[in-house]
Amino acid sequence: MSFEQCEIGFIGGGNMAEALFGGLVAAGRDPVTVLVSEPNDDRRGTIAARHGVIVTADNRDVAANCETVVIAVKPQVMAGALEPVSDELAARRPLLVSVAAGITLDSLDRFSGGGCPIVRAMPNTPALVGRGATALVANDTATPAQRARAEEILAAVGITTWLEKESLIDVVTALSGSGPAYFFLIMDALCRAAERRGLDGETARLLCTQTALGAATLAMASEDSLERLRLNVTSPGGTTEQGVNALKAAGLERALDDAIGAAEGRSRELSKPS
Ligand SMILES: NC(=O)c1ccc[n+]([C@@H]2O[C@H](COP(=O)([O-])OP(=O)(O)OC[C@H]3O[C@@H](n4cnc5c(N)ncnc54)[C@H](OP(=O)(O)O)[C@@H]3O)[C@@H](O)[C@H]2O)c1
């Protein structure tokens, strides 16, 4: 089979890859220009049927044909996926885009044989529903046009922003990478508190999740600081003020600072070359 028409290739066809190529196809990209390399037979059948993309079991087909290679395997199999095709990558030097947590630009350069333009992306799970938040950082080899190509792929599943230096990716991992779990924890605790006071679980969840969505939507639409937005809905002597005071007295701000620090530290540890 010829793969000549394939422009964007994926190494690994799991959840994050499917969100990305699904987003690109939904945005109008011709699915036959997308090649996905995936070892699992059933999974290949599923993604080909769902999206019309071209599939292969051989990572070399992607390395040998695509201008852009998105690497969407688990961090622990990254070296095993890239090193066997590094001869092809080093000879052709396609744009590599990695979404793997904790794998540095230097490691990616080493695994891919050296010399490729590389963009490292840190997306988060809401990308799976088109509401991702992705930070990007590029190596010096990547041109502005290649950076724009990488950004277009991640923009198919949410908002994107560029980082000036790679070390900031550990803070991003702690903030938006791990962030969905913090919000789930907070929403769960709020719902339980409401249930303990008599509200049924279904109603509590509906009101709480819509409130989170509404607060986030208001914050995204406004140029006011987050503090100003909070003050706008906190009348002196009212109910919100009492609730906010209780959160502050219980140390919420300190707890969240600790959470970011702990997650950032762990991200840095995981990024150290083994
Ligand atoms: N999911 C998220 O929300 C999210 C968020 C941020 C970053 N990421 C990053 O995205 C990457 C993928 O995560 P995911 O959640 O999509 O994982 P996933 O669903 O497990 O997808 C990984 C896919 O790669 C395949 N694979 C394994 N070894 C391979 C190889 N040597 N060559 C080609 N394909 C291979 C796997 O096949 P088998 O199942 O047959 O092994 C699987 O289909 C990870 O590095 C993760 O850090 C994900």
Side-chain angles (χ1 to χ4, degrees), residues 10-18 37-41 43 57-59 71-78 80-82 84 98-103 121-128 177:
F10 285 79
I11 292 183
N15 292 318
M16 183 51 74
E18 185 176 10
S37 174
E38 163 58 45
N40 183 291
D41 290 354
R43 180 76 189 146
D58 190 350
N59 292 341
I71 314 145
V73 294
K74 293 282 187 201
Q76 57 273 25
V77 301
M78 181 62 84
L82 288 185
S98 165
V99 295
I103 308 283
M122 183 63 217
N124 63 4
T125 332
L128 304 179

Side-chain angles (χ1 to χ4, degrees), residues 1-3 5-6 31-37 48 52-56:
M1 182 171 189
S2 162
F3 300 108
Q5 81 288 0
C6 296
V32 302
T33 64
V34 177
L35 176 61
V36 182
S37 174
V53 295
I54 312 296
V55 290
T56 174

Side-chain angles (χ1 to χ4, degrees), residues 104-240:
T104 62
L105 289 168
D106 271 354
S107 297
L108 290 162
D109 185 61
R110 205 158 17 90
F111 298 153
S112 58
C116 286
I118 307 175
V119 171
R120 181 178 167 195
M122 183 63 217
N124 63 4
T125 332
L128 304 179
V129 291
R131 289 282 183 273
T134 300
L136 301 153
V137 63
N139 70 358
D140 292 340
T141 314
T143 64
Q146 289 167 330
R147 288 166 58 118
R149 238 155 72 200
E151 186 171 355
E152 191 189 331
I153 295 169
L154 275 304
V157 293
I159 64 107
T160 56
T161 186
W162 285 92
L163 300 176
E164 276 174 27
K165 45 184 188 173
E166 189 179 14
S167 58
L168 290 173
I169 216 145
D170 296 312
V171 189
V172 166
T173 304
L175 179 65
S176 52
S178 305
Y182 313 150
F183 285 104
F184 293 140
L185 180 69
I186 291 167
M187 288 193 288
D188 191 32
L190 289 171
C191 287
R192 282 170 198 266
E195 282 178 60
R196 277 196 295 275
R197 287 159 179 83
L199 203 62
D200 73 88
E202 205 179 314
T203 307
R205 181 176 169 144
L206 180 67
L207 292 173
C208 184
T209 51
Q210 176 69 10
T211 302
L213 180 64
T217 308
L218 271 176
M220 291 209 75
S222 174
E223 286 181 2
D224 287 346
S225 69
L226 295 172
E227 185 184 21
R228 180 76 253 155
L229 288 169
R230 174 172 62 77
L231 292 171
N232 287 349
V233 293
T234 313
S235 325
T239 58
T240 310

